[in-house]
Amino acid sequence: MEISTEAKLEPFLQWLQVNKVELRGCKIKYSDESKGFGIFSSNEFSDGVLLVVPLDLAITPMRVLQDPLIGPECRAMFEDGEVDDRFLMILFLTVERLRKNSSWKPYLDMLPTTFGNPLWFTDDELLELKGTTLYRATELQKQNLLTLYDDKVKDLVKKLLVLDGDSESEVSFEDFLWANSIFWTRALNIPLPHSYVFPQNQEDLNKYDSINNSAELSNDHNSRGELINGLNDINLKAAATWEVDGTGLITGVPFSMYLLSVERSSFHSEKEISISYGNKGNEELLYLYGFVIDNNPDDYLMIHYPAEAIHSIPLSDSKALLLEEQKAQLRCLLPKSLLEHGFFAAGHPKDGNNDNKLEVDRISSFSWSGQRRMPSYLNKLVFPENFLTALRTIAMQEDEISKVSSLLEELVGSGGERQPSDAEVRAAVWETCGDSGALQLLVDLLQAKLTELEESSGMEDYDSELLLKSCITESQGQHASCENNSSEETNGWTQHKMSRKTWSSIVYRRGQKELALLFLKEAEHALQLALTEGN
């Protein structure tokens, strides 16, 4: 039977007190069904410090390796490189969730039991992502997690529980999946003091020097997931940041981390306090955290040329060598913000320096002989030069490869006195090939991307219509905008219920279709200009 909200909070507050956590300018309370528990301002404060947490409550790789139950079983695997620091913390969470007398129980009880990211989707919900990058990524991730669970986690957790005196509890893949989601939604990059993390004993210091000296709490993602209280706030605007006080000069508590108000002024009472996710597109937000932002300004489209396909194109060995020499990239992220500087930008670019930067980046790759004219579209071309470099090379003809070799020989000498730089190779390739071949290949890639998206779930207009008529239901009960009946007639159309996971999937895939269409339009126009100008 699930523990009630009130029954969870009181033991947790007592646990915080026992572990010397200080709630100075805040309190913890239930927010709502979609968010769970959160931190709220409670009164005025002068120094901006809202919350102080001893570093002894930080779950770090070193803590796991020093744990009397888990540490001995993990040290050899870690030292041999079989597992990484993230695995250690996810394993720790898995075991502590199952331990009957875990000292972390009051904290773990506050955490959600299910999540909104695609790893927790039903088969039908996952189909809503078909055709997107995230669909395949989710399949691969789940399979990798299943393999890791079967190969390393299942038997190890069972062994640890038996060592702890529990021979009855069973571990399941969902336990491991839960721990994985807790880690990725709540891990923070906070550098801990070297003197706190590393023992003074030199032998021990050498033993664990493979752990990064900063000993961050965990991962590469700046997350809002708070280490202690498990708040689930989707506000991207940071009201506070986590800092570390190694000496105690700021908080009066040596070796502590503290939540610091960004505003550095008193909050209004009862205001919920959040920290930032960073500027992330819906693909990353849904993949890691299980939510999206409608019309997300930080959305992006990922385009790539399959590396395995290079082996099947003509002159693949020569082209692969040229790609390596130019340090070309076979994939690129196309942020929505690039469109502000393109051919069809609405109004003036927000960053007046962007055109100049693009021009400098591309001029550095242009020819030294002046035989090919500078493109008129240079300052409006929004696609990254490293990716266009790869596409130029892939699209090259046999005679063009020979010409590139001749140009480089003229530059560095027939005796090969020196190796040409990557910029010089790029310049030779551009002078020989121009942009037309690369832009045609880019148009083909974008058209294929759009076709894959639309074949799976229809056109962008269809997704917009679904969202317009949607009525979101939460996992327990219903969203306030929904009626109790299965559908409602509103302004001449029928409003349909859908889960928040389905709604998030449609918002994400609609954004992908929108970006594919807009970048395709940019690429087609650039191709037309390149052909007209002989580039």
Side-chain angles (χ1 to χ4, degrees), residues 343-344 373 375-378 381 383 435-444 447 519-535:
F343 298 110
F344 305 99
R373 290 192 306 163
S376 67
Y377 49 83
L378 177 62
L381 197 59
F383 302 100
D435 288 330
S436 299
L439 290 171
Q440 180 61 68
L441 188 51
L442 178 59
V443 167
D444 293 342
Q447 284 179 333
F519 280 112
L520 177 58
K521 185 178 179 182
E522 292 282 336
E524 288 175 336
H525 190 70
L527 175 59
Q528 182 182 3
L529 293 175
L531 291 171
T532 301
E533 297 177 13
N535 280 322

Side-chain angles (χ1 to χ4, degrees), residues 234-455:
I234 64 172
N235 186 347
L236 295 187
K237 184 178 179 181
T241 61
W242 281 107
E243 307 291 343
V244 172
D245 185 5
T247 61
L249 290 177
I250 298 174
T251 64
V253 182
F255 296 127
S256 65
M257 53 190 287
Y258 60 97
L259 195 61
L260 182 67
S261 168
V262 171
E263 300 174 0
R264 301 309 299 270
S265 61
S266 60
F267 283 106
H268 297 295
S269 184
E270 301 297 310
K271 178 180 178 181
E272 189 166 10
I273 300 167
S274 59
I275 64 177
S276 177
Y277 284 86
N279 300 324
K280 291 180 169 61
N282 282 340
E283 189 161 278
E284 190 172 2
L285 290 175
L286 185 55
Y287 187 64
L288 290 176
Y289 309 117
F291 73 91
V292 296
I293 301 171
D294 203 3
N295 298 313
N296 188 342
D298 296 308
D299 250 350
Y300 56 80
L301 184 74
M302 198 275 282
I303 297 294
H304 77 286
Y305 186 91
E308 61 274 12
I310 293 177
H311 301 297
S312 61
I313 62 175
L315 307 167
S316 59
D317 290 343
S318 298
K319 291 179 179 180
L321 181 60
L322 281 172
L323 287 171
E324 183 178 351
E325 290 176 344
Q326 296 173 91
K327 299 178 182 177
Q329 297 176 355
L330 294 177
R331 66 176 60 209
C332 72
L333 294 180
L334 300 175
K336 181 188 288 188
S337 58
L338 288 176
L339 295 166
E340 297 170 1
H341 309 279
F343 298 110
F344 305 99
H348 299 289
K350 294 181 179 178
D351 181 2
N353 295 323
N354 189 74
D355 285 349
N356 293 334
K357 183 180 185 304
L358 284 175
E359 184 175 358
V360 170
D361 287 348
R362 295 210 61 207
I363 285 176
S364 67
S365 300
F366 281 176
S367 70
W368 58 86
S369 71
Q371 294 180 11
R372 187 175 291 279
R373 290 192 306 163
M374 190 76 71
S376 67
Y377 49 83
L378 177 62
N379 292 338
K380 292 292 184 181
L381 197 59
V382 299
F383 302 100
E385 181 62 24
N386 279 344
F387 189 57
L388 290 177
T389 294
L391 298 184
R392 287 190 198 103
T393 305
I394 292 168
M396 289 175 72
Q397 303 298 313
E398 183 174 2
D399 62 316
E400 292 174 330
I401 292 180
S402 299
K403 187 174 181 181
V404 167
S405 299
S406 298
L407 287 173
L408 292 175
E409 187 175 308
E410 290 177 16
L411 181 67
V412 302
S414 58
E417 287 81 2
R418 68 177 179 86
Q419 290 295 316
S421 68
D422 58 304
E424 289 169 338
V425 178
R426 288 186 183 197
V429 170
W430 182 82
E431 183 164 323
T432 300
C433 304
D435 288 330
S436 299
L439 290 171
Q440 180 61 68
L441 188 51
L442 178 59
V443 167
D444 293 342
L445 290 174
L446 287 165
Q447 284 179 333
K449 179 84 171 180
L450 184 60
T451 298
E452 185 178 16
L453 288 165
E454 292 182 342
E455 280 181 349

Side-chain angles (χ1 to χ4, degrees), residues 55 58-61 89 183 187-192 214-219 227 257:
L55 290 180
I59 300 174
T60 66
M89 287 180 278
F183 174 84
L188 297 170
N189 281 328
I190 300 180
L192 304 183
S214 66
E216 295 173 343
L217 290 186
S218 53
N219 63 42
L227 179 67
M257 53 190 287

Side-chain angles (χ1 to χ4, degrees), residues 33-34 471-480 482 498-500:
E33 188 175 352
S34 65
C471 179
I472 304 170
T473 61
E474 304 294 350
S475 57
Q476 301 291 330
Q478 295 181 344
H479 192 274
C482 288
M498 64 175 64
S499 69
R500 183 163 293 277

